[in-house]
Amino acid sequence: MSLEPLHPGAGGLTSTPVEEGLRHSEPTVEWLSNYLSNAKKVQESVRELGFRRRVRVVAELGRIWLERLEGRALEGLKEELVKNTGYSSAMIENDLRLAGEVLKESNIELLIDSGLAGGWRSLDEFVEVAPGERLMNLPAGPVLIIASGNSVVPPLIPTVTSLVTGNVTILRPSLTNYRAVREVFRPLEDLAKVSEDASRLGEALVLTYLSHNSRVFEYLVKEAPVRIVNYWGGEPGRSIIARSVAENPHKPKLYVNGPLTGVAVVDGASAGSWVAEALAREVMMYDQQLCSSPTLALLIGDYGKAVELAREVSKHLDSYSSIHRIEVSEGWMFNLATLRKALELNGAKVIRSGSPENPYTVVVSRGRSSFTGLRLVPLNIHSRRRFLEIVAVSSIDECVELIRELPRTPGYAGIDGVQTIAIGVEDEGRRVEYIRRLSRAGVYRIVPLGESFLRTPYEPYDGEYIPRYFTYVLYFRGRRAELK
């Protein structure tokens, strides 16, 4: 796996090999220091291109990416990702196709239009927002993005957004997705040789893997003249990064996208076959590793109905066995068996898969999570895969309370909160009432059951519009007639 840094700019990049358990290369502190001292000029050069020309370069990367995917030029990368992430081959294929969507011109335009007051035109010129009042959104960088996770899509979204808003952007992906992210941007090296626009945009991008103990990583967070740090991940990394950013004399702003999860809320009267199929699909998508993935389902109805639903869900999960096979270690299976037994001893009904290649678990609980009271949870929420707990409750108010308390519930610890509620309610009138009352639960999204993973360019992330991370607003007001 190539762990060489990437800088598609004309001047190239000076790096040094690192042998620290993992063999890779990093840019030198001296090179980064010189590069960042010139960052404002680079940003001015990129901004002069205008939004449309910047986006067209990114869209060309998307076209090349999808062409390589269709031409099976990424088969080796896909195999590597299956091995590194533990996802099934079908899921990796889906993830790489979604990466192409992130790079589409129309999607980027909608993302910026929904995220910035004044829309994408405000990146190029003053836009009137009230009589005599105008504003322009300017690049706030240089930007340092510290991404995590398995999927290719999450690090692409902030990186593309930062670039098209005109920022010098340094991206440090996770070890798992590094090569895939690098492959997305690598064609920029060739484009930069024949296109002035690509050359300027390439000058604004540095992509590098950095180990946690890297001196270069420490420099970037603690000392470098960056203005924005965007960290994706939880503890203990988040606190370490926050302390380091606080020491940086250039006082960068820190934006954190912490770990979250999803919850499904199902009306008992709607809990038919379509709900079971949708729940099973939610469990299989990215093996519940997304912040939106339901890991808990709350059924408003009696316990018997919840058991019936769990059996239906398990039938649908069985049907995925031939499509979404995964490999897990013996140690992981041992921990899963221990957890299943502990939950049974705590009163839960546990429906388990007999296939080690599709090791799903559906747990049914009465009134509250069966994790409550467990002292030891052998698999935390980030380690569990294809694991759904269905809790039978009696009211929407109980749902709201359980959703609010979820981060403090054993078995769900390690998340900041619930990002997404996926609702399964057939009757339109009842659905409106559910949405109204569930809006008090402190979540960021309410979407139809079965569509938790699906995002549109209009959507904010965790309650924020990402383009606002990477820009600041220049406000202008002409002299008012009454003051003349």
Side-chain angles (χ1 to χ4, degrees), residues 188-205:
L188 200 49
E189 287 182 318
D190 296 329
L191 293 175
K193 294 172 186 172
V194 296
S195 160
E196 174 65 18
D197 293 1
S199 175
R200 290 198 201 183
L201 202 67
E203 191 63 37
L205 176 66

Side-chain angles (χ1 to χ4, degrees), residues 60-77:
E60 180 62 10
L61 291 176
R63 188 194 64 76
I64 294 170
W65 175 257
L66 291 175
E67 188 175 88
R68 296 175 71 198
L69 191 60
E70 294 295 338
R72 303 180 68 82
L74 301 174
E75 293 303 299
L77 176 65

Side-chain angles (χ1 to χ4, degrees), residues 162-182:
S162 177
L163 282 174
V164 300
T165 51
N167 290 286
V168 162
T169 305
I170 300 174
L171 170 64
R172 186 266 191 187
S174 73
L175 179 59
T176 304
N177 62 28
Y178 180 80
R179 189 174 161 218
V181 176
R182 190 181 189 281

Side-chain angles (χ1 to χ4, degrees), residues 248-283:
N248 190 317
H250 301 282
K251 303 303 177 191
K253 290 183 179 178
L254 173 63
Y255 295 101
V256 174
N257 293 83
L260 299 163
T261 193
V263 170
V265 174
V266 176
D267 179 45
S270 305
S273 179
W274 76 271
V275 164
E277 194 279 332
L279 269 174
R281 187 165 67 250
E282 297 273 25
V283 168

Side-chain angles (χ1 to χ4, degrees), residues 32-50:
L32 281 167
S33 177
N34 288 332
Y35 173 71
L36 287 170
S37 69
N38 203 37
K40 287 299 177 189
K41 286 184 180 176
V42 175
Q43 289 188 173
E44 286 169 13
S45 170
V46 171
R47 188 166 175 272
E48 283 174 1
L49 292 176

Side-chain angles (χ1 to χ4, degrees), residues 261-266 275-276 278-284 287-288 293-298 306 309-314 317 336 339 343 348-351 359-365 369 371 384-391 412 449:
T261 193
V263 170
V265 174
V266 176
V275 164
L279 269 174
R281 187 165 67 250
E282 297 273 25
V283 168
M284 298 304 293
D287 292 330
Q288 298 167 294
S293 305
T295 50
L296 172 72
L298 301 172
L309 177 63
R311 288 185 175 132
E312 282 295 314
V313 171
S314 67
L317 289 171
L336 178 63
L339 176 59
L343 290 168
K349 179 173 183 59
V350 177
I351 300 173
Y360 70 79
T361 306
V362 184
V363 177
V364 187
S365 306
S369 170
F371 282 95
R384 295 198 295 270
R385 292 185 174 216
R386 305 188 183 186
F387 194 106
L388 181 71
E389 182 178 22
I390 300 175
V391 180
Y412 296 89
L449 184 63

